[in-house]
Amino acid sequence: MRPPKKTIHVISSWVHRQPPKVKAFLAVVAGMLALVLLRVIVHDHDNLFVAAEAVHSIGISVLIYKLMKEKTCAGLSLKTQELTALFLAVRLYCSFVMEYDIHTLLDLATLATTLWVIFMIRFKLKSSYMEDKDNFAMYYVAVPCAILALLIHPSTSHHIVNRIFWAFCVYLEAVSVLPQLRVMQNTKIVEPFTAHYVFALGVARFLSCAHWVLQVLDSRGHLLTALGYGLWPSMVLISEIVQTFILADFCYYYIKSVFGGQLVLRLPSGVV
């Protein structure tokens, strides 16, 4: 007699059979329920931003462990790391000239580790770099972000160049993970440390998005007004949501793989 299927397997199988529109609707509902839960259990919503930074740091630590212990960068996207370094460098510049605070130090530490990862991939572990799989053209994301930043940027009293740079780094951060997702789609098989790293990015992005959404709700929309006028406040919020949904599908398959006891994540076609 065959043992009954675990509830998680039954649910995941049912979700997998649904059409894309139903999956999108379920993702929205799940996200809203998660926001309600966070609003109830987290009293100071600023802690969500701290938690996002902590989870991101954990993801980077996993990545560093992979490079140092396994001596391979297989499955990692150099282009995602370079895009990450680019938006962090721009954001650091903006932080120094616009609003220097503790987040500036956090970004500086993240930029330093990202540059180290780039050095390892380009030079120390170049032989294991899957260049043919890392084929997402960077200008597909960098150029549209630059054009969007020229059109929609903060309406503060800072110099126009600094405001455009700030908008550029916000938009670029939202899509910087796309080359990494392309690599994983090309390989179809994602080894554990890379999967842990990308999942940590997904969790960090969700917590950051939740922080912004709950702050807007708590302030009854006044936070958007404080960010300026025009389309910029809405674009900040949209960028946070886009970051979350870009990684939502991968996170679903990651959780399904973990509950299924699989050490290696296998992605079906069309996930990203």
Side-chain angles (χ1 to χ4, degrees):
M1 184 176 179
R2 296 178 61 185
K5 289 184 177 181
K6 293 181 179 180
T7 303
I8 186 66
H9 291 163
V10 174
I11 295 175
S12 63
S13 297
W14 179 82
V15 172
H16 182 67
R17 292 193 301 268
Q18 302 309 305
K21 290 183 178 180
V22 174
K23 290 181 179 178
F25 172 75
L26 293 174
V28 172
V29 171
M32 293 177 67
L33 290 176
L35 283 175
V36 172
L37 181 62
L38 287 175
R39 190 173 191 183
V40 171
I41 63 178
V42 180
H43 299 291
D44 186 355
H45 296 149
D46 283 335
N47 291 334
L48 292 175
F49 190 84
V50 177
E53 293 287 342
V55 173
H56 192 184
S57 298
I58 292 173
I60 294 177
S61 299
V62 170
L63 190 59
I64 292 175
Y65 180 86
K66 169 186 170 69
L67 297 178
M68 293 187 65
K69 297 299 181 181
E70 297 197 344
K71 304 297 182 182
T72 177
C73 62
L76 293 178
S77 169
L78 173 62
K79 293 179 179 179
T80 279
Q81 299 303 317
E82 290 176 338
L83 289 174
T84 301
L86 177 58
F87 82 70
L88 283 173
V90 174
R91 191 160 71 188
L92 269 174
Y93 163 77
C94 293
S95 294
F96 279 119
V97 300
M98 297 174 72
E99 49 174 9
Y100 184 86
D101 55 20
I102 185 62
H103 301 306
T104 305
L105 299 178
L106 294 174
D107 281 344
L108 183 60
T110 305
L111 176 60
T113 54
T114 302
L115 290 175
W116 180 84
V117 170
I118 292 174
F119 172 78
M120 292 294 288
I121 295 176
R122 277 195 171 276
F123 301 103
K124 295 293 185 179
L125 304 174
K126 186 178 180 179
S127 60
S128 60
Y129 171 49
M130 305 168 70
E131 186 173 0
D132 59 321
K133 304 295 184 183
D134 194 12
N135 55 9
F136 191 99
M138 292 175 64
Y139 58 81
Y140 281 170
V141 292
V143 173
C145 288
I147 294 174
L148 193 58
L150 287 171
L151 299 175
I152 305 175
H153 48 263
S155 55
T156 61
S157 59
H158 300 94
H159 193 278
I160 180 65
V161 173
N162 296 334
R163 288 185 277 142
I164 292 174
F165 278 172
W166 184 262
F168 174 71
C169 71
V170 168
Y171 300 144
L172 188 61
E173 181 183 13
V175 294
S176 60
V177 76
L178 288 178
Q180 179 62 61
L181 295 180
R182 172 64 68 84
V183 170
M184 295 189 299
Q185 183 64 67
N186 288 338
T187 58
K188 294 294 189 298
I189 298 177
V190 186
E191 58 84 31
F193 287 113
T194 302
H196 298 335
Y197 164 67
V198 177
F199 179 71
L201 289 182
V203 174
R205 297 283 167 83
F206 172 75
L207 291 173
S208 178
C209 179
H211 166 260
W212 275 100
V213 172
L214 294 179
Q215 289 283 70
V216 171
L217 292 176
D218 290 343
S219 65
R220 300 181 184 274
H222 295 307
L223 177 62
L224 294 178
T225 306
L227 291 174
Y229 55 85
L231 294 174
W232 169 246
S234 299
M235 288 302 295
V236 173
L237 192 58
I238 291 173
S239 296
E240 291 288 340
I241 295 174
V242 166
Q243 291 183 63
T244 302
F245 274 91
I246 283 177
L247 286 164
D249 212 10
F250 170 83
C251 290
Y252 162 73
Y253 284 100
Y254 174 89
I255 294 172
K256 178 182 176 182
S257 176
V258 169
F259 276 99
Q262 300 176 10
L263 295 179
V264 177
L265 177 60
R266 299 178 184 274
L267 296 177
S269 299
V271 172
V272 292

